[in-house]
Amino acid sequence: MRAYWPAFATALALAAGWSQAQTQKESAVPPYKDPKLAVEARVSDLLHRMTLGEKVAMLAGSGWMESQPIERLGIPAIKMADGPMGVRAWFGSSAVTNAAATPRIASTSFPAGIAMAATWDPDIIAQEGKVIAQEVKALGRDMILGPTVNIARQPLWGRNFEGYGEDPYLASRLVIGYIKGVQGEGVIASVKHFAANNQEFERHRIDEKIDERTLQEIYFPAFQAAVQEAGVWSVMSAYNKVNGLYCAENPYLLHDVLKKQWGFKGFVISDWGSTYSTAGTVNAGMDLEMPGGEPMKAWMAKPQTQADGNGAGWLTPDKVQAAIAAGEISTAAVDDNVSRMLRIMFTAGLFDKPHPGGGAVDIAEQKAVARTAAAESIVLLKNVGDLLPIAKSIHSLAVIGPNAAVARTGGGGSSLVRPNYSVTPLDGIRERAGNGMQVTYAQGVSIPGEDANKDSPAARAQLRQDAATAAAKADAAILVVGNAPSIESEGFDRKTLRLPDGQDELIQAVVMANKNTIVVINAGSPVAMDPWVDQVPAILTMWYGGQEGGHAIASVLFGDFTPSGKLPVTFPRKIEDTLAYGHYPGENLHTEYAEGIYVGYRHYDRANIEPLFPFGHGLSYTKFDYGDLKVTPDKLGPGRRVQVSMTVKNSGSRAGAEVVQLYLHQGKSSVDRPPQELKGFRRVMLNAGQSQAVTFTLDARAMSFYSVAKHAWVAEPSAFDVLVGASSRDIRLKGSFELTAR
Ligand code: BGC
């Protein structure tokens, strides 16, 4: 027995040691929870620990704005919030969340996307992204559903105000700033809506026929830049069909272009109610169906949701499991979807640094960005006789219009932010005018439907008369006209380019009463001005300026801020001049993008149509001289770059910023090319008398078109004209270079 004892004791001790080690091993933090481990190692470790059921569960949301958490493994939900111009509520569909009764999310309301685009300032957009992300975190969310980068194909699109305008290059440069700003804070951005969501009319059913070159040259570049240059973590697929297939089940868009050509490593999320199949959707490369769970079921049960053409509930576990069992979906495809979500969750820090919420929003820094952006976005369209800035000799102002005493901070729909406060143009003007100036107000006309008592012809005549009387008594009249969320919104298109009923007549009556009339357009897209544009000496557009719009417009009117905004969209004279006239909104749920690449100024330039105000246009209170253009080298072989330099000088008497624009024209080409295309721009802030050298680099992509034959971007040997100017129709400097075959 004795002899046995030591051996027995040793065996016991060994066994105890073994089991201790085992316990330690089991309680040890699994590798995927180790923040120091590489993201890909964490993804693969976690994926191996998941059951198929758990993976499948992650393919659809758990609620209106949350992905499915897996508690057993500590996988959190991705908590989303709408955007892009601030953090919007996340409780339900936009109709619900925009109603006064819902709990308020009081966050900072930034200018609409179109206004941000009018700044031509990637830096302010990056700052916007950063402070929005700070609010996302402060409110306990992880992801913002934005930015919107769909191209303004035609001016009636209800959501033009959300995007960055008509030019793919401009939109591409700006989207990078927004995404880097957001993601730099560890918040997921979701660039949307991929692809070609360019009309609200029948957005759930419309099939758009768009050729490959047009997609690549016009509708894709902002998404491509988001993926390849900004490294966006999520992409939202669009509602519409492109070339016969819904975007959420379109393998060309999601698999071939996004994931294969561009190398996208993040996850694709469906737009809310845009899925129509199980296997088709998963196999096309759509990773996460939204919304999900009970909120999705309740929403889909509403007759209106169905009637609108929404589709949802296709990636529920039962349907996905059945499709796997039937061999229609592979487990590898499911692994890919889940890996993409996990990859971004690890990268964004959702496992390691969750966002519990409870932080402060609408703080000074956020307000300051909203205000600067709003001021930079204002475009001075016309200023005959230097009526602006308001001169010292003006002692009284009549502020008139349906948008003067209301803050129209944004267009309607899912992007509309409800701020703590908002400054109306009238408030901003009164505050700035101070006691030394008399400011009167007259509504002049109301937005149709907002006040039934004011819509009759007699009521309108009276309001108009009161406004004209007020204008006649003042030294100058400021008319704030434009649209409202009831006219310009997600969910429907505008019916006309015209201002809402009664506004043209009001402007005419006011300018008759006072020749010092300044018209401020408060809208998210171009409006027709032909009935009065020649009579009114000064016109500006303030877009939808967010909560600080009223301060911003006052600072421009009084000359505290020199206007520097430039149009990111062409303002046409009439709807018949627009390219999509005749091709929009399509027939029998089909629409052909027959204009091809001739979108925006490309169309007006080719068709030789004089726009009301051209793309890139925007006046200043100071003057800028352009000079010293140098293009080097003037001859180059394939793959080489061209350096363009010039000097811009502020030759006026006040500080201001100029946006120098560079357009390129290819002399000879095997395919049709637009007369000019934007390939560079720089916003330069200059004191009076100051000048600055500006340089641009033109690479192969800048010279290229998309070749359908080669499925690639091709720079053909040719002479190129370099056109540098203050707008697409105000070219001040011309140079050239030659791209040779070798
Ligand atoms: C919009 C998206 C939005 C989503 C969630 C959809 O109707 O098209 O832009 O992010 O709703 O609110």
Side-chain angles (χ1 to χ4, degrees), residues 64-65 82-83 88 92 94 145 148 159 162 192-193 197 203 236 239 271-272 414 490:
W64 189 259
M65 285 267 174
D82 245 318
R88 173 199 167 252
S94 44
L145 303 177
T148 303
R159 271 181 116 164
E162 252 185 83
K192 65 189 188 183
H193 312 81
N197 180 178
R203 67 173 173 170
M236 188 190 292
Y239 280 127
D271 200 346
W272 270 234
S414 62
E490 173 181 343

Side-chain angles (χ1 to χ4, degrees), residues 667-717:
K668 193 172 75 206
S669 162
S670 63
V671 298
D672 206 19
R673 294 207 69 179
Q676 57 177 351
E677 292 184 289
L678 184 73
K679 296 296 172 187
F681 63 88
R682 189 76 35 79
R683 186 175 187 277
V684 189
M685 182 68 210
L686 295 170
N687 289 324
Q690 198 186 353
S691 49
Q692 192 179 310
V694 177
T695 56
F696 301 95
T697 303
L698 299 172
D699 59 12
R701 171 75 181 247
M703 303 167 208
S704 300
F705 62 88
Y706 185 85
S707 161
V708 176
K710 298 196 170 115
H711 301 295
W713 289 87
V714 171
E716 272 184 351

Side-chain angles (χ1 to χ4, degrees), residues 622-625 649-653 688-690:
T622 186
K623 281 214 288 292
F624 298 100
D625 296 337
K649 178 173 186 203
N650 181 347
S651 58
S653 53
Q690 198 186 353

Side-chain angles (χ1 to χ4, degrees), residues 568-619:
V569 282
T570 305
F571 273 48
R573 285 187 182 276
K574 51 186 190 305
I575 193 70
E576 292 81 356
D577 289 349
T578 63
L579 65 109
Y581 188 71
H583 305 300
Y584 158 83
E587 267 174 39
N588 302 325
L589 303 180
H590 282 83
T591 182
E592 180 153 5
Y593 283 34
E595 73 283 352
I597 58 171
Y598 291 95
V599 173
Y601 61 89
R602 289 162 169 81
H603 157 70
Y604 297 89
D605 291 347
R606 178 178 68 155
N608 233 331
I609 296 170
E610 193 62 39
L612 182 57
F613 297 110
F615 176 82
H617 171 73
L619 304 173

